[in-house]
């Protein structure tokens, strides 16, 4: 059987760089998220050479327009142009950390080459807001909830997962194992269920119904933030069946600093950042 000609193997796509890893002398292996081909791995040959034409367009979290050739194991980047460089993310540690987290959510919750166009558009829109200096917290929680739902893990927020009665406006609990809210009568079916105040439940429902731009304008209280972040983070980890390293990083960064981001401590960032992500920080 004759092999495909080079021309038959070429395709063009937009993509967001979810991770990148130095490979060999001058190459980079990229994990890309694309609108119609989902997540895929590709190699950019010579991308680390100073004169590489594609290299500068393939920064971590950049949105780019690519031509690739289908390969046996990895597709090969043959040309790249920047759509949005997201330079602002590299100047703001909090925005960058949240951007890393969004990329990790996609990396861990999607299988290779599964189309998730709505998540692609949401990721692109969320990165733009983070880049523009919008409060990263509501943008990130909205993305988590929307991505969980799009990937088939929508948490139940409106009726008890056990007795199926509508959730009443009282303190209930969130079961990460079962994937949603349980009422006070049924709470014992999951001893690990986390308490959830009425306001935190309202905020979750608002987040669930809101579009990205509305969600970005919401101003939850500190208590609501603590509860909602804990519930969504635990549920994400349960779904992904592993700790998302970026969540741990964000927590360790915020734990010891009263002013966040603390740009006076670049060494801390370098020490906790994953190798592939750190390589793209300028
Ligand atoms: Zn119940």
């Amino acid at each position: 059987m004759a092999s495909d000609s080079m021309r038959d193997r070429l395709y063009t796509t937009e993509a967001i760089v979810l991770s990148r890893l130095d490979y060999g002398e001058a190459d980079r292996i990229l994990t890309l998220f694309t609108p119609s081909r989902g997540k895929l791995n590709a190699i950019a040959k010579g991308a680390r050479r100073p004169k590489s034409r594609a290299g500068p367009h393939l920064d971590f979290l950049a949105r780019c327009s690519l031509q690739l050739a289908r390969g046996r194991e990895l597709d090969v980047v043959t040309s790249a142009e920047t759509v949005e460089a997201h330079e602002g993310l590299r100047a703001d540690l909090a925005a960058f950390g949240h951007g890393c987290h969004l990329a990790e959510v996609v990396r861990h919750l999607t299988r290779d080459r599964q189309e998730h166009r709505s998540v692609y558009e949401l990721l692109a829109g969320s990165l733009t807001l983070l880049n523009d200096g919008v409060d990263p917290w509501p943008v990130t929680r909205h993305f988590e909830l929307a991505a969980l739902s799009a990937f088939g893990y929508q948490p139940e927020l409106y009726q008890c997962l056990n007795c199926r009665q509508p959730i009443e406006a009282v303190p209930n609990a969130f079961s990460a194992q079962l994937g949603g809210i349980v009422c006070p009568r049924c709470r014992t079916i999951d001893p690990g269920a986390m308490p959830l105040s009425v306001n935190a439940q309202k905020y979750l429902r608002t987040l669930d119904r809101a579009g990205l731009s509305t969600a970005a304008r919401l101003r939850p209280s500190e208590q609501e933030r603590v509860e909602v972040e804990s519930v969504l983070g635990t549920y994400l980890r349960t779904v992904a069946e592993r700790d998302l390293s970026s969540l741990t990083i964000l927590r360790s960064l915020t734990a010891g600093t009263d002013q966040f981001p603390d740009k006076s401590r670049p060494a801390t960032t370098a020490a906790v950042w994953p190798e592939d992500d750190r390589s793209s920080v300028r």
Side-chain angles (χ1 to χ4, degrees):
M1 201 169 75
S3 62
D4 294 346
S5 72
M6 181 66 172
R7 201 174 165 186
D8 290 338
R9 291 191 288 124
L10 286 177
Y11 66 92
T12 57
T13 182
E14 205 182 278
I16 293 168
V17 180
L18 296 182
S19 76
R20 43 181 233 174
L21 185 71
D22 290 352
Y23 181 74
E25 260 181 44
D27 302 342
R28 279 215 167 99
I29 292 177
L30 309 166
T31 302
L32 303 169
F33 191 46
T34 68
S36 61
R37 294 163 190 264
K39 181 180 70 175
L40 59 94
N41 293 314
I43 186 163
K45 290 181 178 168
R48 281 151 55 216
R49 291 210 173 91
K51 286 185 177 171
S52 165
R53 265 195 283 176
H57 302 286
L58 298 168
D59 269 337
F60 176 55
L61 297 180
R63 183 177 176 185
C64 41
S65 175
L66 303 177
Q67 185 182 60
L68 297 107
R70 275 186 286 114
R72 211 174 303 165
E73 280 151 18
L74 292 170
D75 289 1
V76 181
V77 176
T78 55
S79 74
E81 293 291 334
T82 299
V83 175
E84 275 192 76
H86 296 136
E87 289 290 341
L89 290 178
R90 286 163 187 79
D92 180 338
L93 187 56
F96 185 75
H98 283 83
C100 291
H101 174 61
L102 303 192
E104 288 232 24
V105 169
V106 174
R107 275 172 60 199
H108 285 96
L109 293 190
T110 54
R111 293 200 181 89
D112 286 356
R113 298 186 189 266
Q114 269 187 359
E115 179 178 338
H116 288 292
R117 190 174 291 270
S118 67
V119 180
Y120 181 86
E121 280 160 14
L122 185 61
L123 178 62
S126 300
L127 289 174
T128 299
L129 289 181
L130 295 182
N131 183 70
D132 292 347
V134 171
D135 180 0
W137 194 92
V139 172
T140 301
R141 300 291 90 76
H142 175 265
F143 183 85
E144 288 176 335
L145 191 53
L148 279 163
S149 301
F151 295 140
Y153 306 104
Q154 177 151 33
E156 176 57 71
L157 303 174
Y158 302 94
Q159 52 176 257
C160 171
L161 275 173
N162 190 48
C163 68
R164 294 289 160 193
Q165 292 300 306
I167 287 296
E168 291 171 21
V170 295
N172 289 294
F174 187 95
S175 166
Q177 290 298 332
L178 298 172
I181 293 180
V182 284
C183 75
R185 289 178 300 280
C186 301
R187 190 173 165 171
T188 50
I189 61 166
D190 178 6
M194 294 170 285
L196 209 50
S197 68
V198 172
N199 283 343
Q201 293 172 63
K202 280 185 186 163
Y203 180 72
L204 273 172
R205 287 184 180 198
T206 308
L207 212 54
D208 181 44
R209 292 175 177 145
L212 175 58
S213 55
T214 305
R217 286 195 297 270
L218 296 172
R219 291 285 171 269
S221 71
E222 193 54 41
Q223 179 58 30
E224 285 155 32
R225 287 184 182 232
V226 169
E227 288 181 54
V228 168
E229 182 169 344
S230 166
V231 157
L232 287 176
T234 305
Y235 184 46
L236 268 173
R237 279 194 299 280
T238 305
V239 167
E241 291 179 335
R242 52 170 293 191
D243 202 343
L244 299 181
S245 61
S246 61
L247 267 183
T248 316
I249 290 161
L250 275 176
R251 233 177 270 130
S252 66
L253 277 171
T254 47
T257 53
D258 47 4
Q259 262 194 320
F260 180 71
D262 185 350
K263 288 177 185 165
S264 65
R265 292 165 61 199
T268 311
T269 320
V272 296
W273 230 251
E275 190 66 36
D276 54 341
D277 298 349
R278 199 197 320 157
S279 64
S280 62
V281 186
R282 288 189 189 155

